[in-house]
Amino acid sequence: MNPVQSLLKVFGSRKMAALLLLGFSSGLPLFLTSKTLQAWMTIEKVDLTAIGLFSLVGLPYSLKFLWSPLLDWIKLPFLGRRRGWLIILQIGLLIAIACMALQQPKQALQLLAINAVAIAFLSATQDIAADAYRTDILEQLEMGAGAAVFVLGYRIALLLTGSLALILADKIPWSSIYLLMAVAMAVGIITTLFAPEPKETIPPESLTAAVILPFGEFFQRQGIVYASLSLLFIVLYKLGDSFVNNMSTPFLLQTGFTQTDIGAIQGGMGLIATIVGTLAGGAFLSKIGLNRSLWVFGGLQAISNLAYLLLAQVGKNYQVLLLTINIENFCAGLGTAAFVAFLMNMCNQRYSATQYALLSSFMAVSRDILVAPAGWLAKTTSWPLFFVISIVAAIPGLLLLPFFAPWNPKPVTATRPGLEEEEDIWETK
């Protein structure tokens, strides 16, 4: 079988089709409580500091590891260990997103925040189930392709909520847009009903075991020093990218671009560039390996923020905007492909919901918490200086790479233990 046939066999499976659509369902709520909501709030003339602080709405993404053991321990009486949770959460999201159509950002900011937090909580919990499903169903050699396909679906959803939603916002009320986005959650519900079921694994015997064993097993297997460095790296690896993502929409609006401009160029063309970058990242990862991908893609991800610095200097210029959006999003897609594969590779399948939730929660710390002062920072300095700071913020994550991701790693026989290896670890304790 030649390489092209091998790729078609991997990417063309029913498993990958399910991951594509579940990725779409996972990505759909994110912008509805972040970038797209920020655009709505900016148009309603909500204070810039308040818009920046609204990134704290995403706190459930950082704290989801606290309730993730429940999804490992409790198996609902329908659709299996992972899909049962998925469909319940997707129905809840459909209802919560529809309720956003009733909100008025300028008149009732607190109610808007409560509704947004509810969406973020349901979305974060859906992510726990979807990430565990993806981790459980993929074989070792499928991880790069599976990560790329899932992120592709995720980014298509962001194309819908970040591009189409903003373009429509110049023509129809925001309430109608949120109703349309709620209907789109039906894609995830239908997919969950027909998605293949992962191989059955033995769940933890009790809630105590579901809480204690995943964290203990992770630190036992990785070692305290390596595990601690890994968690710190997860927080810092995409910090510079998170600074840009948090304030790019207010920046572009204040620079003079319209919502349609942002929807078509940043939301549309930019997400296409991200998708291309993610797929390219998955392909390159299989050729150069995970460690080298983290180095190369992380460096490009940091350097790409220079494009926003250039745009801040020249002002409203459509040619520079096109260049900026394509460079930054393509490099972000490369980094995401390597990063998701890295997170999956660190999980034990028996505890994949809890362990992946723990790892991705640390990732969300930079996206939602560390960037909360970004609006204040941009307001009190200037946009050019803000983008310089975003580049500097990317450096600490890269400096950690030599400690746990050497350029030429020694060969290993098992980087992602299964149930048998995990039991051996705990039988010795």
Side-chain angles (χ1 to χ4, degrees):
M1 185 180 294
N2 61 47
V4 174
Q5 289 175 324
S6 299
L7 284 174
L8 289 175
K9 183 177 180 180
V10 171
F11 281 99
S13 67
R14 177 187 171 203
K15 184 188 300 186
M16 294 297 169
L19 289 176
L20 176 70
L21 296 176
L22 288 176
F24 176 88
S25 178
S26 185
L28 189 74
L30 181 62
F31 277 2
L32 299 180
T33 58
S34 56
K35 292 173 72 86
T36 301
L37 182 57
Q38 288 171 348
W40 185 9
M41 294 168 70
T42 301
I43 295 301
E44 293 288 331
K45 303 193 183 307
V46 176
D47 182 71
L48 190 62
T49 299
I51 294 174
L53 290 173
F54 245 69
S55 68
L56 294 174
V57 164
L59 196 60
Y61 292 105
S62 300
L63 299 177
K64 62 185 178 182
F65 68 92
L66 295 176
W67 60 90
S68 60
L70 292 173
L71 278 72
D72 271 332
W73 177 49
I74 300 175
K75 179 181 177 181
L76 299 178
F78 49 85
L79 294 181
R81 187 179 178 206
R82 304 305 184 195
R83 294 189 299 141
W85 278 106
L86 278 170
I87 199 162
I88 291 295
L89 294 162
Q90 289 159 351
I91 293 171
L93 278 165
L94 189 153
I95 295 170
I97 294 170
C99 288
M100 286 289 282
L102 306 175
Q103 304 303 328
Q104 297 179 332
K106 189 66 175 178
Q107 287 76 24
L109 198 58
Q110 289 183 339
L111 287 177
L112 179 70
I114 292 170
N115 199 158
V117 168
I119 294 173
F121 175 79
L122 291 169
S123 177
T125 310
Q126 180 190 212
D127 288 349
I128 296 171
D131 293 336
Y133 176 85
R134 185 184 66 236
T135 303
D136 290 355
I137 205 167
L138 290 174
E139 303 294 337
Q140 188 82 25
L141 295 177
E142 296 174 323
M143 281 190 177
V149 167
F150 189 90
V151 173
L152 171 60
Y154 196 97
R155 295 294 177 173
I156 291 173
L158 299 188
L159 181 64
L160 178 67
T161 57
S163 176
L164 182 61
L166 286 171
I167 293 172
L168 290 175
D170 280 335
K171 301 174 177 62
I172 63 176
W174 275 103
S175 58
S176 300
I177 290 170
Y178 272 85
L179 286 175
L180 289 173
M181 299 303 109
V183 172
M185 279 303 303
V187 171
I189 295 171
I190 295 170
T191 301
T192 299
L193 290 172
F194 296 100
E197 183 67 17
K199 292 179 181 178
E200 189 67 29
T201 56
I202 303 172
E205 295 179 357
S206 65
L207 180 57
T208 301
V211 172
I212 295 175
L213 292 185
F215 301 112
E217 188 276 340
F218 176 78
F219 283 97
Q220 170 79 9
R221 168 165 48 92
Q222 303 287 344
I224 296 296
V225 175
Y226 184 92
S228 299
L229 285 173
S230 299
L231 295 177
L232 182 60
F233 166 75
I234 289 168
V235 171
L236 298 176
Y237 186 67
K238 293 184 76 68
L239 180 58
D241 198 47
S242 297
F243 263 93
V244 170
N245 284 334
N246 189 44
M247 295 307 297
S248 60
T249 299
F251 162 67
L252 294 176
L253 286 170
Q254 290 192 355
T255 302
F257 297 103
T258 68
Q259 292 181 104
T260 298
D261 293 335
I262 297 170
I265 299 174
Q266 183 193 46
M269 187 177 296
L271 283 173
I272 291 172
T274 305
I275 290 168
V276 173
T278 301
L279 293 175
F284 279 115
L285 191 150
S286 65
K287 299 294 183 182
I288 66 176
L290 179 57
N291 284 20
R292 293 182 180 184
S293 296
L294 290 169
W295 281 88
V296 175
F297 300 161
L300 291 173
Q301 185 176 258
I303 294 171
S304 68
N305 287 4
L306 287 170
Y308 267 101
L309 176 60
L310 175 63
L311 182 61
Q313 296 284 359
V314 303
K316 186 180 179 181
N317 183 299
Y318 284 97
Q319 288 75 24
V320 178
L321 175 63
L322 288 169
L323 181 68
T324 297
I325 295 302
N326 280 286
I327 290 175
E328 198 276 331
N329 283 272
F330 178 79
C331 293
L334 291 174
T336 297
F339 201 46
V340 172
F342 170 76
L343 297 182
M344 287 194 296
N345 197 53
M346 296 184 73
C347 295
N348 182 312
Q349 284 187 327
R350 187 179 186 189
Y351 308 117
S352 54
T354 301
Q355 290 184 348
Y356 197 98
L358 171 67
L359 301 178
S360 57
S361 291
F362 275 82
M363 174 185 67
V365 167
S366 64
R367 187 189 67 202
D368 302 324
I369 298 177
L370 296 184
V371 300
W376 171 85
L377 192 61
K379 185 178 179 180
T380 55
T381 58
S382 64
W383 285 116
L385 183 55
F386 173 79
F387 292 120
V388 170
I389 293 171
S390 76
I391 297 169
V392 174
I395 295 175
L398 297 178
L399 293 178
L400 287 171
L401 280 169
F403 294 98
F404 70 94
W407 184 260
N408 289 307
K410 294 179 180 179
V412 293
T413 56
T415 58
R416 182 172 174 247
L419 179 59
E420 294 81 4
E421 181 179 337
E422 184 274 333
E423 287 177 338
D424 290 342
I425 290 171
W426 286 97
E427 284 175 1
T428 63
K429 294 184 71 63

